Structure formats: C-alpha cells, structure tokens
Amino acid sequence: MATKRAAGRWIVTALAAGLALATAGCGADAPRQTTATKAAQAKAPEAKVAATPKVAAAPKVVAAPKVAAVPRSWPKAKGPRPVGATIPVKGTYNGGLKRFYGTGKLGGGGQDEGQDPLFKLANGAVLKNVIIGAPAADGVHCLGTCTLQNVWWEDVGEDAASFKGKSASATYLVRGGGARKASDKVFQFNGAGKLTVTKFQVQNFGKLVRSCGNCSKQYKRTIVLDQITVRAPGKAIVGVNTNYGDTATLRGITIYGAAKKKISICDRFTGNSSGKEPKKTGSGADGKHCRYSASAITYK
C-alpha cells in the first residue's frame, strides 16, 4: 500500500512539475519573441519610395534659317538663231527672245580682245528681247547712244556689251535682262557719256561695269547702277578712274550669297592711255567718285 501511494504521489508530483515547466516555457518564449521582433522592426530601415523620374523637357524647336530669295528665273529661248557675221542694227531690233550664238569666225568663244560682236548698234539703236548664248563672241557694241532692253547673256564671252560713243552727250541704257558666267567684265565702258544700268541681274562674274583703265583715248564717264540684283561669286560691281573725273552712283543693290561681303562695291583706279595696267587706289564710298550710302547695299 505504501509503495502504491508513494508511486501515485510521484506521478502526481511529476505531472505537476511538467505542467509548471510547460507553462513557464510558454510564458518566457512569447515575451522574448515579441521584443526581438519589435527591435528588428525598429532597426530595419524604412523602404524608400523611388522618386518619380524626371521627364526630359521637350527640345526647343529651332526655326529654320531664312533662305534668301532667288532672283527671278531666266527666260526660255524661243528657238535658236546662229550668227555667222555681225548683225548691224539701226532703229529697233526685236529678237523675239530667240537664242543668238556665234558660228564660224564668231564661234571661238574665247576671251581674246578685239573680237567682233554678234550685234553692232548704230547711234540711237535699240536692241530688245534677245538671249545671247554661247559662244557669244564680243557680245554687243554700241557706237553711240543706245538702249539694250530685256537682253540676256547666258554665258558672257569677252564682254557682254561695250559702249564706244565719242560724244560727252551719249547715253547708254541697259534696262532689264541679266548676265552670268563672265570671267572678266560684263559691261566695258570705253567711250564717253553716261551709262545707266537698271533692273538688271548678274551672277558668277568678274566685274559688272568697268570704266576702261588703259584705252588709247580716255574720257570722263558717268555710271549709274539702280535696282541691281547681284549673285555671288563675283569680284567687283563697278570700277572707275578718278583721274579722268569718273563717277559711279549706286542705289538699290541687292547681293545674294556673299555673307563675308567679299564682292567689292566700287573700286577706284588711276587710268592711263598707254595700255599699261591701271593702278588701283582705293575701294568703297568716298562721296566723290564712288557715290552710295550704306542703305543702298543689301546683303541676303
């Protein structure tokens, strides 16, 4: 009996002890887990929210550069007209916008001095509505007062036109038209009087107008250039001889494609009658021989 009771008490005691241990273990573990978790949560860095990426600003729209207006187009020829001998003109000659070009002895197409012209105009003659193609020989000669109206030189030969009148009262008028591909001069002013070029266009040239610098007979020459369209490349618009009293008046000059202003506006020379190369003495407006204001020249 004693043994059974002792065993029973042992069992009860053991069960009680086990229950106490189980209870104690559960109570101790719970607080430790809670504290550790809170500590870990406190130490853990907060997740950073990624900033919204910046959207690149739209590129600025750059305005397209202004393109200089191109001078009006050249007329189309209304048929060929070969010229084997110089055409003399008295009164008015209307070419009907045919293309005149040299053949035979007029077909060389070189730059030699002293060539014959395609047209030779008597004093008071008018030449109009003519296209001069290549070869152009020595273009047009005016022996006195003359008018060249709507005359176009597609490929200038020696010179486009030479003015040879001997009277101080001679007047030469070039109205409308144009010239291109002149390796040297477009208009050669050898004679006396006044030359006016108006509403004319020139491109790819050496000089537009040159008062003869070394002719055997020299004169005072007056030049007026008005409403001229110039397209580079080119060397000079006009050249005068100061020692003979030449003057050049310019207005309404529009120059295309010469951003660096390399085309000389007006050159001054000391001319001679000996045939020697004339000496250049200056360039630009001087109010006496080269007459123009800054507003008279427009670059585009």
Side-chain angles (χ1 to χ4, degrees):
M1 285 296 287
T3 302
K4 290 181 178 179
R5 288 187 187 126
R9 286 196 297 273
W10 180 86
I11 294 169
V12 171
T13 301
L15 289 172
L19 180 62
L21 287 172
T23 304
C26 290
D29 286 342
R32 281 197 298 270
Q33 290 172 356
T34 302
T35 303
T37 301
K38 288 181 179 179
Q41 290 175 348
K43 291 181 180 179
E46 294 183 2
K48 293 184 179 180
V49 178
T52 303
K54 293 183 179 180
V55 179
K60 293 182 179 180
V61 178
V62 180
K66 292 184 178 180
V67 178
V70 177
R72 66 187 182 88
S73 61
W74 286 51
K76 292 183 179 180
K78 296 182 178 180
R81 176 67 160 81
V83 180
T86 299
I87 300 173
V89 179
K90 293 182 180 180
T92 298
Y93 186 101
N94 189 334
L97 282 180
K98 290 184 178 180
R99 178 180 288 112
F100 294 75
Y101 59 93
T103 60
K105 67 176 183 178
L106 296 179
Q111 294 293 317
D112 297 335
E113 294 289 338
Q115 293 184 66
D116 290 332
L118 295 183
F119 295 93
K120 183 180 289 186
L121 278 58
N123 186 46
V126 176
L127 179 67
K128 65 180 184 179
N129 301 327
V130 167
I131 297 175
I132 296 180
D138 199 25
V140 179
H141 286 184
C142 282
L143 304 184
T145 292
C146 71
T147 297
L148 306 181
Q149 182 178 332
N150 197 34
V151 177
W152 301 83
W153 289 264
E154 294 179 329
D155 190 338
V156 175
E158 182 185 342
D159 299 314
S162 299
F163 305 99
K164 299 171 172 284
K166 297 180 180 179
S167 171
S169 62
T171 58
Y172 319 93
L173 173 62
V174 179
R175 184 178 181 84
R180 60 190 178 195
K181 299 180 183 179
S183 60
D184 192 9
K185 301 174 294 295
V186 175
F187 297 128
Q188 175 72 39
F189 197 175
N190 293 342
K194 180 179 180 179
L195 168 63
T196 299
V197 183
T198 182
K199 297 182 179 179
F200 190 83
Q201 59 178 287
V202 61
Q203 62 187 86
N204 191 5
F205 64 103
K207 308 173 188 71
L208 175 55
V209 179
R210 177 68 172 100
S211 177
C212 185
N214 54 12
C215 287
S216 58
K217 177 66 175 177
Q218 292 284 26
Y219 305 93
K220 176 184 182 300
R221 302 176 179 103
T222 301
I223 301 168
V224 176
L225 301 177
D226 179 43
Q227 299 179 69
I228 306 297
T229 298
V230 178
R231 194 162 189 82
K235 294 180 181 179
I237 295 177
V238 63
V240 295
N241 303 314
T242 59
N243 56 319
Y244 297 125
D246 293 355
T247 63
T249 301
L250 298 90
R251 51 181 177 261
I253 310 297
T254 303
I255 302 175
Y256 292 84
K260 295 183 179 180
K261 302 182 180 181
K262 289 186 176 181
I263 296 177
S264 179
I265 305 301
C266 184
D267 292 336
R268 299 185 294 277
F269 297 86
T270 297
N272 64 74
S273 56
S274 64
K276 294 181 180 180
E277 189 65 24
K279 181 181 179 181
K280 183 177 177 180
T281 58
S283 293
D286 63 356
K288 185 176 181 181
H289 301 284
C290 293
R291 304 176 178 180
Y292 62 94
S293 62
S295 62
I297 314 299
T298 301
Y299 291 90
K300 291 190 175 182

